[in-house]
Every structure is written in C-alpha cells, then in structure tokens.
Amino acid sequence: MDAFKHNVLAGKTAFIVGASSGINLGIAQHFARQGARIVVVSRTEAKIAAAAAGIVEAGGDALGIAADVRDFAALDAAFMQASDRFGKIDIVISGAAGNFVAPAAAMSANGFKTVIDIDLIGTFNVLRASYPYLNRPGASLLSITATQGTNPAMFQAHACAAKAGINMLTKCLAMEWGPEGIRVNAISPGPIAGTEGMARLTPTPEAEHALKSRLALRDYGSLRDVADTALFLASDNARYITGSIIECDGGCKLGDASTSDIGNFSIKM
Ligand code: HXC
Ligand code: NAP
C-alpha cells in the first residue's frame, strides 16, 4: 500500500481509453497510485481485463470495459457503466490509436480510413460521449496526439492527418466547453521506449540509434515521463491551462530531430 500513499487525484475518477497497454496503461497505473478510481477501456476484452486486474492487485480501484472507439454507442454505454459505479467523471484520456508504416501510394483507401477512424473520429467519439457524464466545473480531458500532428512524416500520411485533426479538435472543444469549466488539452509525446508505437516505427536497433542521435535529449522518453505530464494536466495545478498541445518529446520536434523521415528507417521502397 506504500505505493498508494500519494493523493493528488484522491476522490477523482479517470476514464482512460486505449489503456490495455503502453503509454495509456502507464498513465492509468500512475493515476491509480495517485488515488484516482480508474476506468480502463480498449477493444480487446482479455487485454483490458488484465490491465484492470493489475491495477486492483497493486492496491488500486479499477473497472475494465471493452469498447471499440469506432462504436459511439459502445462508448456511451461504457460511460454509463462507469458513472453508475463511480459517479461523475473527472478526467478523460483519449489515447487509442492504430498505426502502420506505408507509403501513401501503397496505402488503400480503407487503410487510410482505418487510422482516421480509430485516431481522429475515435477521439471525437470518446470526448463527445464523455460530455453528459462529466463533473463540471472541473473536468479535465486529455487526448494523446504526436509530433506527427505538426511535423509531416514519410509513410505516415494517415497518422499525421489524424493527429493534426486531434490537435485542432482539442482547441475547438476547449473553446466550446471552457465556459462550463471543462478543460481540453492534448499531450504530444516523442518516441517512448518499450511501446508498440516505436516497435512499429523504429523496429531495428540501427533505426532506434539513428533517431536517438537526432533528438535534443539523445534518448527515448519513458512511460513515466508521459504519465507525469498527464498527471499535471489532469490535476487542479493545471486549472488555467486549456486548448494546449503540451509536448513531452525530448525535443523531437526541433530542427533535425523531427521525425519527418522516420519511416525511412523501417520500410524498403
Ligand atoms: C498497409 C495495412 C497494413 C500495413 C493494415 N493495413 N496493416 N496496409 N500496410 N502494414 C490495411 C489493411 O490491408 C486494410 O485495408 C486496412 O488497413 C484495415 O486493416 P485491418 O487489419 O482490417 O484493421 P483493424 O483490424 O481495424 O486493425 C487496425 C490496425 C492494426 C491499425 C491496422 O494495426 C491495429 O489494430 N493497431 C492497434 C495497435 C497499434 O497500431 N499500436 C500503435 C499505435 S501508436 P484493405 O484495403 O486491405 O481492406 C503509434 C505511435 C506513433 O502509432 C505515433 C505516430 C502518430
Ligand atoms: P499501444 O500500446 O498499441 O496502445 C494502443 C491502445 O489503443 C491499446 O490499448 C489498444 O488496445 C487500443 N486500441 C487500438 N485500437 C482501438 C480501437 N479501435 N478501439 C479501442 N481501443 C483501441 O500503443 P502506444 O505506442 O502506447 O501508443 C499509445 C498512444 O500514444 C497512441 O495514441 C499513440 O499514437 C500515441 N503516441 C505514441 C508514441 C510512442 O512513442 N509510442 C509517440 C507519440 C504518440 P486493444 O488492442 O485492446 O484494443
């Protein structure tokens, strides 16, 4: 129980989508250690059950719900189930994503649409479905975008377009929902170690080394780096921050360190 002595989020409920693995699971575990009640959501029943069980075994309070972000009705039902159990929702993280490396000329219309549907429309669905269930004033909504939302990247047309859309959606919802006391922000992570995302984008040690050598901080970030950023933005310490895209990227977006040619590491034309 020692790990649960902090209480920055005590009494709050966090609904975290895409939380069966990687960055979003890292946020869920960190928020549980800070005293929040956690709802973890993703597509795959077995994976989300394991994620929730892990948080409970570590001493936290968690509910796992399977839902596909492309299915608005499933998300609405998930929010209803979560608020039946925990009451109004204080924090929403929209982080589900799908990605693969492919040149646009070899990308089918359905391949492009699939990533837009999961990342961009899925984020609208999560945030829109949350709206009736939010604690207001005071709710904090966070989406997980990427440097690809501002820096164009080879073989990432679908993800770049989707993440750019998430950035603008963040700002529009911040304007519309701010008067009700709902803050809407996004985190833009750089390359994060040990994630599925980087396994797909830099699959070899050579590709990883080449990218690290171009980052200002010369290393990948950790799950904890993103979770700490999310904790700040979700907490009352960030009460005057809304409509912001907060970079946690080791300088990834700067000059030469941009991931604009990241796909070159992992694809042969
Ligand atoms: C070309 C591909 C492809 C590939 C799939 N497709 N993989 N095209 N190259 N490697 C095409 C398929 O042929 C199909 O088009 C269409 O995409 C849909 O494929 P499905 O397999 O039916 O889709 P689905 O089952 O919904 O799976 C979605 C997925 C999958 C995105 C394709 O990889 C997935 O579930 N990913 C979730 C995990 C993940 O991606 N994690 C990393 C995300 S984070 P056709 O025309 O044949 O029907 C990340 C971090 C970096 O990316 C941040 C940068 C933004
Ligand atoms: P990950 O482990 O693959 O996480 C993706 C999550 O999304 C999983 O929980 C997956 O769970 C869920 N998901 C996928 N499709 C879904 C759908 N249709 N409906 C509901 N859930 C779905 O990847 P990650 O690398 O940690 O990335 C997490 C987030 O960070 C993404 O938004 C990504 O774009 C962003 N990001 C990552 C990096 C990085 O370095 N990894 C950098 C910048 C931004 P199921 O399989 O159970 O559905």
Side-chain angles (χ1 to χ4, degrees):
M1 289 304 288
D2 207 33
F4 289 81
K5 65 187 175 187
H6 304 293
N7 62 358
V8 173
L9 300 180
K12 303 218 179 207
T13 298
F15 188 104
I16 305 179
V17 184
S20 64
S21 57
I23 287 174
N24 306 305
L25 177 57
I27 293 172
Q29 292 167 337
H30 196 45
F31 282 18
R33 286 193 292 272
Q34 299 292 336
R37 298 177 288 259
I38 306 293
V39 184
V40 281
V41 178
S42 83
R43 202 176 26 173
T44 314
E45 180 93 48
K47 285 166 68 179
I48 209 65
I55 292 170
V56 171
E57 275 160 30
D61 193 358
L63 168 67
I65 305 174
D68 192 311
V69 295
R70 294 168 285 193
D71 181 347
F72 185 85
L75 288 170
D76 182 52
F79 275 106
M80 190 174 292
Q81 188 183 340
S83 53
D84 281 350
R85 165 100 174 251
F86 293 135
K88 291 281 184 192
I89 307 297
D90 301 285
I91 299 161
V92 177
I93 311 277
S94 176
N99 196 4
F100 52 82
V101 175
M107 198 181 280
S108 71
N110 191 42
F112 185 85
K113 179 177 182 298
T114 296
V115 171
I116 298 291
D117 279 346
I118 298 171
D119 293 24
L120 175 55
I121 298 176
T123 292
F124 177 80
N125 287 345
V126 169
L127 301 182
R128 174 64 186 85
S130 76
Y131 184 75
Y133 301 96
L134 297 174
N135 204 1
R136 44 169 69 77
S140 173
L141 314 187
L142 277 175
S143 296
I144 309 299
T145 181
T147 52
Q148 284 88 334
T150 45
N151 296 33
M154 298 285 282
F155 314 130
Q156 287 285 279
H158 46 10
C160 289
K163 296 296 190 183
I166 290 172
N167 292 352
M168 188 52 79
L169 181 65
T170 300
K171 296 174 195 204
C172 291
L173 296 187
M175 289 181 77
E176 290 198 26
W177 295 353
E180 295 174 63
I182 299 167
R183 295 186 297 109
V184 189
N185 293 293
I187 298 174
S188 179
I192 302 301
T195 60
E196 179 63 24
M198 292 321 295
R200 291 178 185 224
L201 293 178
T202 53
T204 65
E206 294 74 26
E208 192 174 310
H209 178 75
L211 179 55
K212 282 180 180 169
S213 71
R214 290 161 44 238
L215 294 170
L217 294 183
R218 294 290 190 274
D219 203 358
Y220 282 4
S222 66
L223 296 179
R224 180 63 187 261
D225 292 330
V226 183
D228 276 332
T229 306
L231 178 62
F232 168 65
L233 288 169
S235 76
D236 294 337
N237 293 332
R239 60 194 164 272
Y240 204 54
I241 299 177
T242 197
S244 295
I245 315 297
I246 304 294
E247 291 146 343
C248 174
D249 70 354
C252 182
K253 77 281 178 183
L254 302 172
D256 234 19
S258 148
T259 53
S260 62
D261 61 351
I262 197 166
N264 287 325
F265 298 132
S266 49
I267 194 161
K268 292 186 177 61
M269 291 292 281

